[in-house]
Amino acid sequence: MPFVVNLHCQFSIVFIFTLQITLDMKKVAVIGAGTMGNGIAHTFAQFGYTVSLIDVAQSSIEKGMATITKNLDRQVAKEAISEADKAATLANITTFNSIEEGVKGVELVVEAATENIDLKLNIFRQLDAATSPEVILASNTSSISITKIASVTTRPDKVIGMHFMNPVPVMKLVEIIRGYSTSDEVTDLIMDISRKLNKVPVEVNDYPGFVANRILMPMINEAIYTLFEGVAGVEEIDTVMKLGMAHPMGPLQLADFIGLDVCLAILEVLHDGFGNPKYAPCPLLVNMVTAGKKGVKTGEGFYSWGHGTKDLIVASNFKK
Ligand SMILES: NC(=O)c1ccc[n+]([C@@H]2O[C@H](COP(=O)([O-])OP(=O)(O)OC[C@H]3O[C@@H](n4cnc5c(N)ncnc54)[C@H](O)[C@@H]3O)[C@@H](O)[C@H]2O)c1
């Protein structure tokens, strides 16, 4: 009997410890202050978390903090938050250039650095060394295997995908990706935290493209093939999908927003991962990326950008 009582006590201690992590988690680090990282930091800070925003590039930190301030101003103007909420959100964010400094005392890290496998593996090796073993390490990767990222750490049960959508403060979905070894406890906790951020988490398993990009990217690729084969023009393809399928924007416009280089990289992950020719990127997409026409971020993709109007102007290569 004493043995049973003792065991019970041990279980109680484990249970209380787990529960405390769940309820008390308050400090997070976000790696990368770019498009996604600043949105993720903004969202955690708005919901009361203390956030360390870490980027190797000081210019990214400055641009990221300016974007957060501008987006908070927009929320104030829409009366979604008050001036006091804005001030509290900004006060919750501290910036760092070093991972070792920034992750001190945090309970969760969300990595949102550049989509490059070697870079991410290096960051996770660094995070594994710089944080205590109970810290959960999440990645916002769009396509890199969570199982692969977890394999360079000593805590694969605590590595998970937390795939926010762009723009993060606005978009409701978080795709929660379970790596091969991610534990139930960590998955449940990350689902809970996502709900606390007023998001809707959806749990998926770790296979190429997860769910969002496995379905979205073949649609975008097919739209590019439809253009490439001369079935219809840019405007016609996007109009069919907007008005016929009630999509808020056409697939070619969406590809320009995501970045054609990012679309190409994800299609290559799908193609390599499944070995199925149906995922082969359209040669037109490959050509455009090679020519530096990557969409909004370079000023030209299927449309021309940066002309200062809200009108959609088809890029000169695709004008009829
Ligand atoms: N852009 C999107 O629409 C989108 C959507 C969902 C997920 N994602 C994913 O989010 C991640 C970030 O994408 P993004 O669009 O924000 O990229 P981005 O290029 O806008 O930002 C990446 C940032 O990472 C920083 N960085 C690079 N190496 C670093 C390091 N070692 N330590 C700290 N910071 C480092 C860069 O300086 C840069 O500021 C990627 O994994 C991407 O696949 C992007």
Side-chain angles (χ1 to χ4, degrees):
M1 271 322 260
F3 174 71
V4 174
V5 170
N6 202 356
L7 246 186
H8 174 76
C9 281
Q10 280 181 357
F11 280 137
S12 301
I13 289 164
V14 170
F15 177 70
I16 289 164
F17 181 61
T18 312
L19 197 68
Q20 273 187 347
I21 290 183
T22 307
L23 295 178
D24 293 347
M25 188 177 280
K26 272 285 161 221
K27 271 195 97 178
V28 306
V30 177
I31 315 265
T35 311
M36 297 304 288
N38 76 62
I40 296 168
H42 171 154
T43 304
F44 272 101
Q46 189 181 332
F47 285 87
Y49 291 83
T50 303
V51 179
S52 303
L53 179 58
I54 308 166
D55 202 297
V56 281
Q58 185 56 27
S59 57
S60 288
I61 298 244
E62 282 158 20
K63 204 169 153 207
M65 287 308 296
T67 304
I68 293 172
T69 308
K70 192 180 73 194
N71 288 339
L72 285 166
D73 284 336
R74 197 172 291 157
Q75 288 175 298
V76 172
K78 286 185 178 166
E79 297 183 359
I81 61 168
S82 66
E83 279 288 350
D85 295 330
K86 174 190 159 186
T89 302
L90 288 172
N92 278 340
I93 305 174
T94 310
T95 61
F96 296 87
N97 294 124
S98 134
I99 288 187
E100 282 70 21
E101 285 300 310
V103 298
K104 274 185 189 157
V106 305
E107 294 132 306
L108 167 68
V109 180
V110 183
E111 172 276 319
T114 314
E115 187 80 343
N116 171 297
I117 184 149
D118 293 331
L119 183 117
K120 289 207 194 272
L121 296 184
N122 266 335
I123 289 177
F124 275 79
R125 280 189 200 100
Q126 255 179 291
L127 289 173
D128 197 42
T131 59
S132 48
E134 71 278 7
V135 173
I136 297 174
L137 306 179
S139 176
N140 184 55
T141 178
S142 306
S143 63
I144 295 169
S145 160
I146 298 300
T147 307
K148 175 86 182 161
I149 290 174
S151 73
V152 301
T153 73
T154 53
R155 64 188 91 174
D157 57 318
K158 296 190 185 67
V159 178
I160 192 161
M162 213 175 175
H163 186 203
F164 290 88
M165 305 291 133
N166 185 18
V168 182
V170 176
M171 296 289 281
K172 280 292 197 187
L173 178 69
V174 190
E175 199 178 22
I176 305 295
I177 302 114
R178 289 187 71 133
Y180 194 85
S181 307
T182 311
S183 70
D184 290 342
E185 293 72 21
V186 166
T187 307
D188 291 346
L189 178 54
I190 293 299
M191 297 281 287
D192 257 12
I193 289 173
S194 304
R195 288 187 198 101
K196 281 186 191 150
L197 300 175
N198 203 20
K199 302 291 183 203
V200 178
V202 174
E203 184 185 326
V204 311
N205 287 318
D206 181 29
Y207 288 97
F210 317 133
V211 170
N213 283 319
R214 180 172 178 168
I215 296 171
L216 176 65
M217 286 303 155
M219 183 189 72
I220 287 177
N221 201 33
E222 202 57 37
I224 302 173
Y225 264 114
T226 310
L227 177 69
F228 178 59
E229 292 171 4
V231 179
V234 170
E235 271 179 313
E236 288 75 10
I237 292 167
D238 274 359
T239 303
V240 166
M241 297 305 284
K242 271 190 287 190
L243 301 187
M245 316 301 153
H247 289 192
M249 68 175 77
L252 299 175
Q253 186 186 351
L254 180 57
D256 272 3
F257 273 113
I258 294 169
L260 301 192
D261 53 334
V262 175
C263 294
L264 177 60
I266 298 171
L267 281 162
E268 281 166 349
V269 167
L270 290 170
H271 194 212
D272 291 350
F274 290 115
N276 188 328
K278 77 176 176 180
Y279 298 112
C282 177
L284 172 59
L285 174 64
V286 177
N287 251 355
M288 290 175 75
V289 173
T290 308
K293 309 295 182 193
K294 300 179 186 172
V296 175
K297 63 180 146 190
T298 60
E300 191 182 322
F302 296 103
Y303 294 90
S304 141
W305 301 98
H307 39 72
T309 78
K310 284 197 169 173
D311 298 339
L312 273 179
I313 299 175
V314 173
S316 54
N317 278 50
F318 303 111
K319 282 223 166 96
K320 289 184 173 167

